[in-house]
Amino acid sequence: MNNKSKTTDFIINVHKYLDHALTANESKDFIQDVHNNPLLAKILNEERNLRITIKNHLQRPKVEKSFIKMIKDSLYS
Amino acid sequence: MSDNTEKLSRKEKIKIFEKEFLPHVEALKTFAFYLTYNDSDANDLVQETYLKAFRFAEKFDRGTNAKAWLFRILKNAYINDYRKKSKQPDRVDFEDVINYHKSDDVSDNKYLDLKEESIDNMMGDEITKAIGSLPPEFRTVILLADIEDFSYKEISKIIGVPIGTVRSRLFRARNTLKDLLKKYAFSLGYKDYRSGKNEEE
């Protein structure tokens, strides 16, 4: 396998790893690749950090208690 | 959805509703808000979701993932009521990865890190704005995967597309989002170390 194919496979696995879509053995091999190559580790970090940034900064709308009460009233009445 | 559709008493329905459905109201509201970008429409969508969930509570397979079931109801309600005129997105192949991450990029050991503390502090509501600027199909998979932590399989069921399409869409959505956030970081004076120059140059 050439370097480009290896890199492509690695990047696909980065996404699958962070999305918990690799099997236990695949994850083990993946982590081994990361440990063996600092450049690949940087790609993993970049993708991981994107997800952390999204999760930390997304503004979530407030749910008013009155809204929940309205739903319950409409269903239970 | 369960084949076990025995009639539930009203009391049982209310019990399921309170225990299994209602705890997800905040997640549903967030999802609805980022689909509609309107608080009132989001509330209507959540209310409609709960009305349907309550009405069809017999079809919910107890002990399974209520959150995914509710999200599927909400997504369908959104498509039926809010997005009738929207266009389908271009199909994206997961192998687009080849075009985005060229091997020469990988060989460069410097790049912009969104988690870098100074950038992270400045993001503020840029994430919210950036997600809002994504096409609904992209926004949807980002919200389901990165905010709600649904698996590819669960997302596939919620939005009714094959797992491969979920992966492709997620890949494209994240890259689009990343580009938007990097543009914002560059506008604040950060350099694209990966290419060795500022994007605005």
Side-chain angles (χ1 to χ4, degrees):
Chain A
M1 193 181 284
N2 63 32
N3 281 342
K4 191 171 179 178
S5 297
K6 277 186 180 175
T7 305
T8 302
D9 285 348
F10 176 81
I11 291 165
I12 289 170
N13 281 340
V14 166
H15 286 258
K16 287 184 174 178
Y17 175 76
L18 292 173
D19 291 334
H20 310 290
L22 291 180
T23 64
N25 281 339
E26 287 169 340
S27 291
K28 198 176 165 187
D29 292 343
F30 173 80
I31 291 299
Q32 192 62 47
D33 285 345
V34 170
H35 283 155
N36 291 340
N37 190 331
L39 297 179
L40 300 183
K42 288 194 180 217
I43 296 175
L44 172 63
N45 280 337
E46 187 183 34
E47 290 299 330
R48 180 187 280 130
N49 292 342
L50 175 70
R51 288 156 175 73
I52 292 170
T53 303
I54 292 169
K55 196 162 251 179
N56 286 349
H57 289 288
L58 187 90
Q59 293 166 354
R60 289 166 172 80
K62 197 174 175 186
V63 177
E64 303 288 347
K65 283 184 181 173
S66 59
F67 175 62
I68 295 173
K69 183 177 182 304
M70 185 187 73
I71 291 174
K72 284 184 174 180
D73 288 348
S74 67
L75 295 176
Y76 301 170
S77 59
Chain B
M1 218 172 267
S2 171
D3 291 324
N4 183 20
T5 53
E6 82 275 14
K7 270 282 182 194
L8 296 172
S9 69
R10 185 166 186 78
K11 195 177 170 184
E12 286 172 318
K13 270 190 173 186
I14 291 173
K15 190 179 171 187
I16 291 171
F17 186 83
E18 299 261 351
K19 190 181 171 189
E20 305 252 18
F21 300 167
L22 212 46
H24 304 295
V25 67
E26 288 180 1
L28 288 167
K29 175 69 186 282
T30 298
F31 187 44
F33 179 79
Y34 282 98
L35 289 176
T36 62
Y37 266 82
N38 178 293
D39 195 63
S40 174
D41 286 347
N43 280 345
D44 287 348
L45 206 45
V46 172
Q47 188 172 15
E48 189 182 339
T49 299
Y50 276 128
L51 284 171
K52 285 180 176 166
F54 190 78
R55 191 183 306 153
F56 299 110
E58 286 92 354
K59 293 190 174 182
F60 170 65
D61 198 355
R62 274 168 281 175
T64 62
N65 192 339
K67 187 178 174 184
W69 190 69
L70 291 167
F71 268 66
R72 189 159 73 235
I73 293 173
L74 192 150
K75 180 67 172 57
N76 289 337
Y78 168 70
I79 289 170
N80 292 334
D81 299 340
Y82 294 92
R83 282 203 53 226
K84 283 177 180 165
K85 292 178 184 172
S86 70
K87 292 182 288 183
Q88 290 294 313
D90 294 336
R91 295 296 294 268
V92 180
D93 195 299
F94 197 46
E95 294 307 311
D96 278 352
V97 70
I98 296 164
N99 298 323
Y100 186 79
H101 284 283
K102 294 204 172 70
S103 57
D104 54 346
D105 284 334
V106 179
S107 64
D108 191 338
N109 65 357
K110 291 181 280 187
Y111 61 96
L112 179 73
D113 186 347
L114 287 170
K115 194 62 177 38
E116 196 174 286
E117 193 179 356
S118 50
I119 296 178
D120 193 54
N121 289 339
M122 280 186 250
M123 277 301 168
D125 61 358
E126 289 305 316
I127 297 288
T128 302
K129 284 183 192 167
I131 287 179
S133 71
L134 295 174
E137 288 77 10
F138 284 5
R139 209 186 303 155
T140 299
V141 290
I142 289 271
L143 289 165
L144 294 175
D146 294 337
I147 303 301
E148 301 302 339
D149 295 320
F150 284 118
S151 67
Y152 292 155
K153 192 177 173 186
E154 288 168 330
I155 296 171
S156 164
K157 283 185 180 174
I158 290 168
I159 64 176
V161 300
I163 287 176
T165 306
V166 171
R167 279 201 313 231
S168 301
R169 215 174 270 183
L170 254 178
F171 178 76
R172 178 69 70 85
R174 282 167 177 154
N175 283 341
T176 306
L177 188 61
K178 206 186 301 176
D179 285 343
L180 288 168
L181 296 176
K182 281 180 178 175
K183 273 183 190 166
Y184 174 68
F186 296 141
S187 76
L188 297 175
Y190 282 85
K191 303 268 184 187
D192 183 2
Y193 294 116
R194 218 174 183 183
S195 63
K197 61 182 181 180
N198 191 313
E199 194 176 66
E200 291 176 355
E201 281 173 4

